[in-house]
Each structure stands twice: as C-alpha cells, then as structure tokens.
Amino acid sequence: MRTLIKKPSLLTYIYAGNLIKNGEIVAFPTETVYGLGADATNAEAVKKIFIAKGRPQDNPLIVHLAEKKDIQKYVTEITENQQKLIDAFMPGPISIIFEKNDVICDEVTAGGKTVAIRIPENEVARKFIYYSQRPICAPSANTSKRPSPTIAQHVYDDMNTKIPLIIDGGATDIGIESTVVRVNKNYVYILRPGKINAQMILEKTGLVAMSKMDTSKIPQSPGTKYTHYKPKCDMIIIKNDVTKNMNDIYRQKTKEGKNVIIFCKKENVNKYQNKNVVVLGENSEDASKNLFTYLREYENNDLILCEYFDNGDMVDALFNRMIKSASGNLI
Ligand code: TXA
Ligand code: MG
C-alpha cells in the first residue's frame, strides 16, 4: 500500500473521511501526539489498527469525538462528576472513562464494559473527525513499544506501506499523550498522567484526584503494563547527585568506546562542556514536548543520559514517560 502524506485542506478532509467510511486507517495530528484513527463502530477497521501497530489485543483504544454533545451517544450515563470534568477540560488533553453502550464495538474496548472518550482540541483532529462522521478510535500512531509520534515523518517511519494516509498538521503542541482518568463516586483516579494534573482537576472541579500509584485497589489502564516508548539505544535517567553522576557515567561509557548523548535542563548545559549534549527543555512542559522527538532523533547513539525534571506542571507526566523509555533505569 502506498502511504500518502497530505497537508490539511478541505479536499484532504473529504478524502480522509471517505477512507474512514470505507473501513481504512488514517493518521492524524492531535495536540498531544499523532493518532492512528479508524471507525470505532467497524470491527474490521479496528482490527487493522492492532495489526498496523503490532499492538496486544487486550489493550483498549480511546474513542475521539468532535463535540461534547456526542458523548451521550456512546455511553450508558454521564455522572455528575464526569460532567464536571467534561465542562472543565473538554476539548483538551484528557480521556475520561465511561460505561459503554453497544454502539462502539468490542474490539475497541478489548471486550471491556468501559470506553475512554477524548475530544481533541487540535483543529485538524476535530475537522478530520467531523468529516468522517464517525466516532474515531485512535491509539498513538507509533509501532507498539516505540516512542509516540510528534511529527508526520515519525508516523511515516513506522507506518509506511501499512496505512493509506497521514494528515500532516505539523509538530504536536504537548508532545505526550492525554491524561486518562476514571471517576468513582468521590474521587478521580489518574490512570495515566498527562498535561492535566491532579492540582488542575482540584482547582477546576473541586474533585480530589489521585494517581494510580497512590492506590492499590483501582484498576490500571491495561496499556501501562506493556513496554513503552523505547528508543533503539540504552537510556538512563539521572535524578540524584546529577552533575557528578552524569559526568562520571559519561566519562566511563565514553572510555568504553560508547557514543553517549546527554539530555539536560537548559540551566545545566554549561556543566557538560565538551560533551555531546542537547537541551531537552527549561521545564517539564517543554521537555515533554521534546522528549519523544529527541528519543527518535538521538537513538543512533549507544546511550542516552537524561536529567530528571522537577519543575513545571508536567513533572509526573514527563517522569512517567521517561522512566518507561529508560526501561526503569534510574540513578
Ligand atoms: O493523547 C492521547 O491519548 C493519544 C492521542 C492519539 O489521542 N492516544 C493514545 O492512545 O495515547 P494509546 O492507545 O496509545 O493509549 C491509550 C491508553 C492505554 O494506556 C490504554 O490502556 C488506556 O488508554 N485505555 C483506553 N481505554 C481504556 C479503558 N476503557 N479503561 C482503562 N484504560 C483505557
Ligand atoms: Mg500509545
């Protein structure tokens, strides 16, 4: 199959919409990362996503809608607390879990009774969904286990010959995936951290949100148990005694003949003079925006040494992605 990359235009949306209605897959930008979209009511189309990504079938997909008023078409009820989250954060980088009705097919939810729903803020995403006239289930548009795609070229690198169309909306804003939340009677459980954090949820809705790490009883997002975001080379996160550990490991590994690259905070770049170093960002927000992009760009080294970021609103979300990229290697 030939994979086309097209800039957003009326013609592109109409073409993409027709592909979706015909049961094909289309990659599209969102404000978080690029997604691999299909008609969430068409089991055969949904299966193609799992095949294109090499994704385990027990890992459910998020359903993307163009407008809030559409949510009720796919769920059994919207509770008061869910409504508070919808009002506060949608459209935006959040996926809320609901009890599903029968419209969304079982392949999307891995046979489960719940469905995660997200309304992207990105205009290209919303127009694409609108012209498709379907609920669009979409995982991140990477091959399973690879870093999520933040530009159309990343999608092409992973999906060339596997899908007919990539809509190229430029680089994504946020760079890591949406916050996934589940609402119980009184609490919001953060199953996957993202740009919208517990403090924002408390401030805007009055609801107490806790991360799944704080609780042992609540169900996790199935996806969190798999290997994720791995670059081709080894990676270590340096959190303690940063300058000393960074310089020591760099020296030792370089001596062993390894090509090493440092991802650092802007304020620390001068501490690594004469070393192979790039600034990942000033704070957790811009480091999040760059993380997956840099992982793909610099994975041809033998080792990535990455500083921990303790500043900004996305500390948890960024660390969650970093530690997975590094397969748990933390110093
Ligand atoms: O920002 C995003 O959310 C991106 C863009 C494309 O919208 N999508 C994305 O999809 O990250 P994916 O498939 O790569 O990750 C979805 C996560 C997985 O960890 C999955 O297990 C979880 O959401 N998930 C989906 N449906 C769920 C459900 N019903 N219950 C619990 N977790 C669910
Ligand atoms: Mg993903």
Side-chain angles (χ1 to χ4, degrees):
M1 185 186 299
R2 187 150 169 246
T3 302
L4 299 178
I5 303 182
K6 286 184 179 289
K7 296 273 184 217
S9 71
L10 184 58
L11 272 181
T12 301
Y13 293 127
I14 293 171
Y15 180 55
N18 284 334
L19 285 170
I20 293 292
K21 286 170 206 154
N22 288 325
E24 294 298 336
I25 301 176
V26 173
F28 63 102
T30 80
E31 67 274 27
T32 56
V33 299
Y34 274 72
L36 213 50
D39 175 359
T41 65
N42 179 340
E44 291 312 309
V46 178
K47 283 181 195 159
K48 289 182 186 170
I49 289 184
F50 285 87
I51 292 167
K53 275 184 71 84
R55 178 176 176 114
Q57 302 241 335
D58 65 346
N59 191 6
L61 306 178
I62 296 169
V63 173
H64 297 63
L65 305 174
E67 290 182 78
K68 294 186 206 188
K69 68 172 168 47
D70 293 336
I71 297 174
Q72 52 159 354
K73 296 181 192 166
Y74 308 105
V75 306
T76 57
E77 84 170 315
I78 299 175
T79 66
E80 203 183 316
N81 286 341
Q82 285 168 334
Q83 189 63 50
K84 284 184 190 165
L85 288 167
I86 294 169
D87 293 342
F89 299 113
M90 286 184 161
I94 192 166
S95 301
I96 304 175
I97 294 174
F98 296 88
E99 297 297 316
K100 81 186 266 283
N101 65 19
D102 290 339
V103 183
I104 302 294
C105 62
D106 287 340
E107 282 72 10
V108 172
T109 57
K113 291 198 172 78
T114 60
V115 60
I117 292 189
R118 160 154 148 72
I119 301 178
E121 202 171 12
N122 179 290
E123 204 185 312
V124 178
R126 296 182 71 182
K127 284 198 170 143
F128 159 64
I129 300 165
Y130 178 80
Y131 278 94
S132 300
Q133 296 177 295
R134 298 284 189 283
I136 299 289
C137 59
S140 48
N142 51 289
T143 301
S144 223
K145 303 189 176 132
R146 295 277 295 143
S148 299
T150 55
I151 54 174
Q153 183 64 42
H154 297 158
V155 183
Y156 189 80
D157 292 343
D158 284 14
M159 294 296 151
N160 184 21
T161 74
K162 295 182 176 163
I163 62 171
L165 176 65
I166 300 166
I167 306 177
D168 181 357
T172 59
D173 267 354
I174 296 170
I176 64 174
E177 307 87 340
S178 63
T179 309
V180 178
V181 297
R182 186 187 185 107
V183 190
N184 274 18
K185 269 204 186 88
N186 300 312
Y187 298 106
V188 176
Y189 294 115
I190 298 179
L191 306 188
R192 179 178 70 182
K195 178 165 185 185
I196 293 170
N197 62 28
Q199 196 185 334
M200 293 172 190
I201 292 173
L202 181 63
E203 274 169 19
K204 289 218 166 173
T205 66
L207 294 168
V208 173
M210 40 189 145
S211 99
K212 73 172 199 299
M213 277 74 87
D214 306 334
T215 59
S216 54
K217 288 197 200 97
I218 58 128
Q220 300 197 357
S221 263
T224 54
K225 71 178 182 231
Y226 293 109
T227 305
H228 264 315
Y229 319 124
K230 248 185 85 58
K232 286 180 183 147
C233 67
D234 290 337
M235 177 170 171
I236 305 172
I237 314 297
I238 316 278
K239 185 177 180 190
N240 298 302
D241 214 347
V242 177
T243 315
K244 180 175 185 308
N245 276 325
M246 192 67 93
N247 281 307
D248 285 355
I249 297 170
Y250 188 99
R251 207 174 308 121
Q252 186 195 328
K253 294 291 176 184
T254 311
K255 224 172 168 184
E256 291 169 14
K258 300 230 155 80
N259 289 321
V260 186
I261 176 109
I262 296 172
F263 291 180
C264 77
K265 266 191 195 165
K266 192 173 181 197
E267 67 190 38
N268 291 342
V269 69
N270 291 332
K271 297 179 180 162
Y272 308 120
Q273 273 170 16
N274 305 320
K275 294 194 166 64
N276 197 13
V277 59
V278 287
V279 172
L280 190 60
E282 222 172 310
N283 54 43
S284 56
E285 282 88 350
D286 36 60
S288 294
K289 184 168 177 159
N290 291 330
L291 179 69
F292 291 145
T293 313
Y294 282 24
L295 288 181
R296 283 177 183 256
E297 206 169 312
Y298 295 103
E299 68 185 353
N300 288 334
N301 288 280
D302 298 308
L303 176 64
I304 296 170
L305 296 175
C306 180
E307 286 190 348
Y308 173 78
F309 280 67
D310 58 1
N311 54 345
D313 287 339
M314 292 179 69
V315 170
D316 288 351
L318 175 64
F319 183 65
N320 172 277
R321 304 315 191 275
M322 270 185 186
I323 195 72
K324 286 181 184 178
S325 308
S327 304
N329 288 327
L330 176 70
I331 288 174

